[in-house]
Amino acid sequence: MKKQLIFLGGPGSGKGTQAKKMVRDLGCKHVSTGDLLREEVKKGSALGRKVDQILKEGHLVSDDVVFELLKANCDVKTGTYIFDGFPRNINQAKELDRELLDGCESIVFYFDCPHDVLVQRLTSRRICGKCGAIYNIITGPPPSSGICSQCKDGKIEHRKDDQEETILERLKVFKETTGPVVKYYEERGNLVRIDASVGDEETHNMVVRHL
Ligand code: AMP
């Protein structure tokens, strides 16, 4: 079975952007629990209605819900997956090993980025509601038409949880719950720290060098 990749990092550290580059350059498969949850909200499914408020507040959805969604959307036997936004706590890290990786080797990349850079990136982040392309109103603004230049169809949106108050809560939750996950993998010896405060391409090159 192919090696699996786990992307850890605070909100705004560039996990999603980096995952897209890996899909583009190396043909990896990308699974983002945040994207899967937002899709459910958008569809208005029972699950989406259940998690909508939790996402708006920047809190974590229950492990069971996230894990079921993840399990239904990836199969490590079919290639190299990038797990983006999962695991978020120690319980999820153990579940991932036990239930999904099933002995398959993994490398964990931790996208390390100072708090103030994360806040700045999140407040200026915009996304395409259709294809998920990521823009930044300061460093890489979307077209003035408000329509995505990549899929040429989706509307550019400001994520509800990218508002300042929720951002601070998400960063707090990240520090408290995902911080120990970083330590967990560090102790196991399969964690690579990447300086994610630099440009996207530079960060991507650092990741590729470690593969
Ligand atoms: P993200 O797109 O990774 O920043 O995730 C957006 C939101 O989805 C988070 O603030 C959580 O509410 C929820 N979420 C995403 N991944 C997980 C996870 N692994 N466990 C619990 N909640 C999650």
Side-chain angles (χ1 to χ4, degrees):
M1 266 198 290
K2 294 216 168 150
K3 239 182 209 172
Q4 304 300 314
L5 308 178
I6 297 169
F7 281 10
L8 295 182
S13 60
K15 302 182 298 290
T17 302
Q18 292 303 322
K20 287 189 172 74
K21 288 184 190 294
M22 300 289 285
V23 171
R24 178 197 69 191
D25 292 356
L26 300 170
C28 299
K29 299 175 188 223
H30 176 204
V31 65
S32 153
T33 44
D35 285 349
L36 293 174
L37 289 163
R38 278 186 292 278
E39 262 168 48
E40 293 299 317
V41 172
K42 211 164 227 176
K43 280 194 292 196
S45 67
L47 173 60
R49 289 196 301 276
K50 191 167 144 192
V51 301
D52 187 25
Q53 191 59 24
I54 303 173
L55 263 69
K56 275 188 199 137
E57 288 167 359
H59 295 136
L60 293 186
V61 171
S62 80
D63 293 347
D64 296 357
V65 166
V66 177
F67 196 67
E68 282 309 309
L69 206 50
L70 185 62
K71 225 161 69 179
N73 283 280
C74 75
D75 177 1
V76 300
K77 286 191 223 76
T78 63
T80 293
Y81 272 86
I82 298 170
F83 292 93
D84 163 7
F86 190 96
R88 284 282 229 278
N89 58 35
I90 295 285
N91 185 43
Q92 292 184 4
K94 291 187 174 159
E95 236 175 343
L96 179 62
D97 274 342
R98 206 175 43 232
E99 310 269 340
L100 274 179
L101 296 184
D102 197 22
C104 190
E105 245 188 284
S106 61
I107 309 184
V108 184
F109 287 95
Y110 172 46
F111 296 95
D112 202 358
C113 201
H115 180 95
D116 54 335
V117 175
L118 296 179
V119 174
Q120 217 246 337
R121 280 188 190 166
L122 291 169
T123 46
S124 51
R125 176 162 77 178
R126 300 292 182 271
I127 58 165
C128 169
K130 185 157 189 203
C131 72
I134 301 167
Y135 298 88
N136 180 299
I137 52 171
I138 300 161
T139 57
S144 53
S145 62
I147 301 297
C148 179
S149 57
Q150 291 190 25
C151 70
K152 318 248 182 273
D153 194 24
K155 270 217 268 192
I156 306 301
E157 296 171 0
H158 190 182
R159 265 171 59 173
K160 284 186 192 133
D161 59 351
D162 277 350
Q163 319 287 338
E164 183 126 14
E165 205 179 303
T166 315
I167 288 171
L168 297 179
E169 186 58 28
R170 287 164 67 205
L171 287 166
K172 185 168 151 256
V173 169
F174 169 74
K175 205 166 160 204
E176 286 168 5
T177 60
T178 314
V181 179
V182 174
K183 204 161 156 241
Y184 170 83
Y185 286 122
E186 202 152 41
E187 283 169 5
R188 284 199 357 189
N190 63 338
L191 184 109
V192 178
R193 255 173 214 272
I194 298 284
D195 175 6
S197 63
V198 295
D200 294 348
E201 278 304 318
E202 209 179 318
T203 306
H204 175 59
N205 293 336
M206 285 192 272
V207 173
V208 173
R209 255 183 264 132
H210 278 94
L211 291 176

